[in-house]
Amino acid sequence: MTAPAATTEPTDAYPGYLACLADADEYAAIDVAIGLLEAGVSPERVLLDLVAPAQAEVGERWARNEWSVAQEHAATHISERVVAAVAAHAKSRPTGGHVVVACMDGEWHALPPRLVAEVLRLRGWQVTFLGASVPAAHLVSYLHRNDAQAVALACALPMRLPHAHRMIEACRRSDVPVVVGGRGFGADGRWAARLGAAWAPNAPAAAEVIADERALRRVPAARLAHLADDEYASLVRRRGDLIDSALTDLRETAPATREYTATQLDSTVSDLGHILDSLAAALYVDDASLFTEFVDWLAEILTSRRVPASAVALTLEHFAAELRDYPRAAHALELGRAGLAAASRSAG
């Protein structure tokens, strides 16, 4: 058991709390959070200055291959329990309108939007948290049965942006304004603007945006005229065939892949799919940087797991050949390959 140290500052409590997550010590983690509350720290600060940064570090440790998936899941579960304990301790009562908070369809990172939901609740809103991966049709059905002043949608992965846009439009057709947040919309929210949605960088900002309903409804429409070239739709239609051809190419150009276990093969197919999904999302919002940022991230992840980044370069080369008649896709792929080459030279 990890013994929490008494403190009145979340930043001081952070190392001990992170140690609780590392030890999978749920009770000690809750004690750290409750100790801060009893010392006079506001529930909002405990959520945003303790739980949120610790969870971000959990993700970074997984990315650096310092923690396994099991450790990451255990830590996330504990953080969810801590959020529940803080909410129970706060005993907030709604004084404002109804807000629905949900993850995009296909999004399973539910803790960040859960934090947003709790901050909104602490600020007096009546909040319904629908959790992870909510299909657009189910969200619309819920909105038809329950009045809501606004919907807050979270997206952690840029590759999910086409799905995000469909959910945003579905809410609008239900006459419910939307605010979005999460890394999936870009660090500065630039892809939220492209999809015609109000963006909030954090939970307090989301509360401020939702409070101004007139401004929330005056958001400019989506700017997606570039989709008329049909590159995005064509790429989506070819996704399965492209994965198959890339896997065949890898077996020829990287013989070691022929000896992959079933688990390694599944991971490779998943990575190929993510590359194509990120490329498709970049085409959807007409921003190649979405794809190049994903390629850089993927190369770092694979390198930390002792998979050479050259495997990614080979895959991009294959896709570039297959998609040579797609100008925007070819441009993004070329930038991705150039970025990998530059990183390789720097590492060398």
Side-chain angles (χ1 to χ4, degrees), residues 7-33:
T7 179
T8 59
E9 283 297 323
T11 52
D12 294 336
Y14 176 82
Y17 179 78
L18 195 58
C20 295
L21 298 185
D23 293 341
D25 193 338
E26 174 184 328
Y27 300 103
I30 292 175
D31 286 345
V32 171

Side-chain angles (χ1 to χ4, degrees), residues 145-190:
R145 295 196 306 269
N146 300 272
D147 291 334
Q149 182 168 329
V151 173
L153 296 175
C155 180
L157 303 173
M159 71 179 71
R160 307 301 299 176
L161 287 178
H163 299 273
H165 185 227
R166 287 193 281 274
M167 293 191 73
I168 291 167
E169 290 303 309
C171 291
R172 282 184 166 173
R173 288 193 293 272
S174 300
D175 196 34
V176 182
V178 179
V179 59
V180 300
R183 295 181 181 181
F185 292 99
D188 56 0
R190 60 189 181 276

Side-chain angles (χ1 to χ4, degrees), residues 4-5 28 40 45 58 60 77 95 99 117 122 129 146 157-159 183 190 201 237 260 265 268 270 272 289:
R45 284 196 64 203
V58 167
E60 290 298 322
H77 168 74
T95 56
V99 178
L122 288 169
F129 179 57
N146 300 272
L157 303 173
M159 71 179 71
R183 295 181 181 181
R190 60 189 181 276
R237 286 193 298 269
Y260 274 7
L265 187 60
T268 301
S270 179
L272 293 173
S289 70

Side-chain angles (χ1 to χ4, degrees), residues 186-317:
D188 56 0
R190 60 189 181 276
W191 299 319
R194 179 57 60 91
L195 298 181
W199 177 72
N202 50 48
E208 293 175 7
V209 171
I210 291 170
D212 190 348
E213 186 175 358
R214 289 186 178 181
L216 194 55
R217 290 184 178 274
R218 288 197 301 267
V219 177
R223 304 190 306 275
L224 300 172
H226 53 274
L227 293 179
D229 65 12
D230 204 40
E231 279 199 40
Y232 166 77
S234 181
L235 178 59
V236 171
R237 286 193 298 269
R238 293 185 59 187
R239 183 181 186 274
D241 291 339
L242 287 168
I243 290 175
D244 289 342
S245 66
L247 190 58
T248 299
D249 185 70
L250 272 177
R251 285 171 171 162
E252 294 176 357
T253 56
T257 59
R258 301 172 192 168
E259 308 300 325
Y260 274 7
T261 65
T263 299
Q264 290 174 313
L265 187 60
D266 285 345
S267 295
T268 301
V269 170
S270 179
D271 288 339
L272 293 173
H274 290 159
I275 291 172
L276 288 173
D277 291 343
S278 294
L279 179 59
L283 296 180
Y284 198 89
V285 299
D286 197 29
D287 188 346
S289 70
L290 185 157
F291 180 68
T292 57
E293 289 174 10
F294 169 78
V295 168
D296 292 343
W297 175 85
L298 179 62
E300 290 180 7
I301 294 295
L302 293 178
T303 300
S304 72
R305 287 154 176 74
R306 299 183 180 180
V307 176
S310 59
V312 180
L314 289 172
T315 296
L316 298 192
E317 184 177 350

Side-chain angles (χ1 to χ4, degrees), residues 82-145:
V82 170
V83 172
V86 171
H89 191 277
K91 298 179 181 178
S92 56
R93 294 290 184 270
T95 56
H98 181 208
V99 178
V100 175
V101 180
C103 291
M104 302 294 177
D105 190 5
E107 279 281 355
W108 299 98
H109 298 81
L111 184 58
R114 171 74 187 280
L115 291 172
V116 171
E118 295 306 330
V119 169
L120 291 173
R121 190 173 284 115
L122 288 169
R123 294 192 175 202
W125 294 96
Q126 178 188 346
V127 180
T128 300
F129 179 57
L130 299 183
S133 190
V134 181
H138 293 198
L139 175 60
V140 169
S141 176
Y142 183 86
L143 294 176
H144 284 167
R145 295 196 306 269

